[in-house]
Amino acid sequence: MNKARRAAAGAGVLIAVMGVQTSAPAVAAQASRPPALASGHPADGLYMSLGDLEDAMDGGNPDVRKMIDRSDIASVQVVVAWGALEEARGEYRWTRLDAALDYLVKRHKKLYVQVQDRFFSTTPAQAKLPAYVKDAGGVVATTDDHPGSDPHATGAMAAQWKGDVRTGFQSLLKAMADHFKGKLAGVNLPETSVQVPEDEQRRTGFTAEKYFQAERANMLRGKEFFSHAGGSTDFIQYANFWPMDKDEEARCEAGRGRCADETRMDEIVRLAAANQIGIGGPDILPNRPYPTQKSYQFIEKYKDRLPVVAMAVQEPTLTYEDPENPGHPYTRERFTDFARDALGASSIFWTVEADWLKEPAT
């Protein structure tokens, strides 16, 4: 998580893929809205790591197991690291996800998978990325300055702007699509927010635009793979904030034209709508100016053309003060109403720390 997320806690189209233009399908005037919204309420799901789901499956965490079995829980979104799915180049391991899918299907629950290529409170050496990515210099240190963290802590992520890293990641997505053949309810790429220190930028050739183009290419290729695999798996891009280079930040602060990060967000959500790719994000923060300006306004702009809007309420979000109720955190109703009314969300994935999950289902 970078400064952008910290700020959030405070206050027929032609598509270019890494320089190559390809045709995209025209957008229907009004995409059909997901069935979950027919009742006026987004479908509720749970958010957790794959390991936490496995603990619930084997009885090691009976409380979470009970949450999964609740009648008002439709799905589970698990976060799984790239390195947990591919240890050596091209050698993929699906056993754990196969078992998770079987467990949930038997309980009439859906499985969403977030493929994680970036990590908080860790080092590049510890990042759960394939060994071949690390050995080729494909991991970069990031600044991890989310609220409450050590100000000197760092995170790490795959350097997707390097072609060989991106090729490996896209191969993973294709292999996943080919293996599951539409049986997963959804697959999402993680949040776009990132902060790369200047020395790491120079070492790896990072620029904000290169990073944007790489994430854009992964989004479009991922959609292609899962569409061709058959079934009805939603492909979703979590898009919360985009980084800017120093000169872009200076122009933005000086008010010289539209900020580059807002231009990028507008483009990514528009392209998602054009290609029937879902959009989402890791935080629902009602009535906060920064995420509204940098993210939510664009989701709201295109929400009627997006096939899916999937938002999450993760652990830190539970502690944020509601601007409309000073001194108090957001309530479940505030999260849900904003996600539905402003963003058109069809699903909300809740941390198991949410208080309402500890009460009986209604």
Side-chain angles (χ1 to χ4, degrees), residues 24 105 129 132 141 154 168 193 197 206 229 264 276 280 283 310 337 359:
V105 166
L129 295 169
Y132 75 86
T154 61
S193 177
F206 171 95
R264 290 178 177 121
Q276 291 297 280
D283 301 296
D337 291 349
E359 302 171 355

Side-chain angles (χ1 to χ4, degrees), residues 8-291:
V13 176
L14 283 179
I15 296 175
V17 182
M18 302 306 289
V20 179
Q21 290 192 326
T22 58
S23 294
V27 185
Q30 174 81 20
S32 59
R33 303 305 291 146
L37 288 180
S39 65
H41 193 293
D44 288 318
L46 301 176
Y47 156 82
M48 65 188 73
S49 70
L50 178 57
D52 286 341
L53 173 58
E54 290 169 332
D55 285 344
M57 289 164 54
D58 66 17
N61 194 329
D63 290 338
V64 172
R65 187 169 187 164
K66 290 177 183 177
M67 292 178 189
I68 294 169
D69 289 336
R70 290 173 60 110
S71 59
D72 52 0
I73 292 299
S75 61
V76 176
Q77 180 197 57
V78 297
V79 180
V80 58
W82 179 2
L85 299 174
E86 182 185 17
E87 195 166 78
R89 186 186 293 271
E91 296 181 8
Y92 305 109
R93 299 178 295 177
W94 309 116
T95 305
R96 295 174 67 191
L97 282 179
D98 286 335
L101 178 62
D102 182 64
Y103 180 87
L104 293 173
V105 166
K106 288 178 178 177
R107 286 158 177 77
H108 307 288
K109 312 293 181 178
K110 298 177 180 179
L111 176 61
Y112 290 78
V113 178
Q114 178 168 310
V115 185
Q116 198 74 8
D117 71 335
R118 56 206 66 194
F119 311 92
F120 306 129
S121 300
T122 190
T123 66
Q126 296 168 332
K128 295 178 182 178
L129 295 169
Y132 75 86
V133 173
K134 293 182 178 182
D135 293 345
V139 59
V140 60
T142 58
T143 301
D144 181 15
D145 59 357
H146 62 281
S149 70
D150 180 338
H152 304 293
T154 61
M157 69 170 291
Q160 295 281 4
W161 52 96
K162 301 181 73 170
D164 53 343
V165 174
R166 191 168 60 256
T167 295
F169 188 71
Q170 291 180 6
S171 295
L172 168 70
L173 295 178
K174 184 178 188 307
M176 178 181 283
D178 291 343
H179 177 81
F180 287 101
K181 300 185 185 301
K183 295 177 183 177
L184 299 173
V187 171
N188 75 278
L189 301 184
E191 65 179 77
T192 53
S193 177
V194 68
Q195 184 176 354
V196 179
E198 289 186 24
D199 58 340
E200 288 289 84
Q201 292 183 25
R202 291 190 293 269
R203 183 181 68 83
T204 63
F206 171 95
T207 68
E209 182 62 18
K210 285 181 181 178
Y211 169 71
F212 173 73
Q213 292 293 342
E215 296 297 286
R216 186 176 185 271
N218 286 341
M219 179 185 83
L220 293 169
R221 291 290 280 171
K223 171 62 178 182
E224 176 187 338
F225 298 145
F226 282 90
S227 295
H228 290 169
S232 57
T233 299
D234 289 320
F235 194 75
I236 303 164
Q237 173 70 64
Y238 269 16
N240 51 349
F241 309 106
W242 292 100
M244 290 187 285
D245 295 326
K246 275 190 170 182
D247 61 329
E248 294 173 335
E249 290 179 349
R251 287 195 297 271
C252 179
E253 291 171 2
R256 296 199 298 272
R258 191 185 204 180
C259 295
D261 58 343
E262 295 169 29
T263 297
R264 290 178 177 121
M265 187 63 76
D266 194 1
E267 179 178 348
I268 211 71
V269 183
R270 175 179 58 82
L271 290 179
N275 288 274
Q276 291 297 280
I277 298 167
I279 286 290
D283 301 296
I284 301 172
L285 295 168
N287 304 111
R288 287 182 177 255
Y290 194 89

Side-chain angles (χ1 to χ4, degrees), residues 324-342:
E324 293 195 356
N325 190 14
H328 299 276
Y330 290 109
T331 63
R332 177 190 181 187
E333 290 73 21
R334 284 279 284 138
F335 285 130
T336 299
D337 291 349
F338 181 80
R340 178 194 63 218
D341 299 337

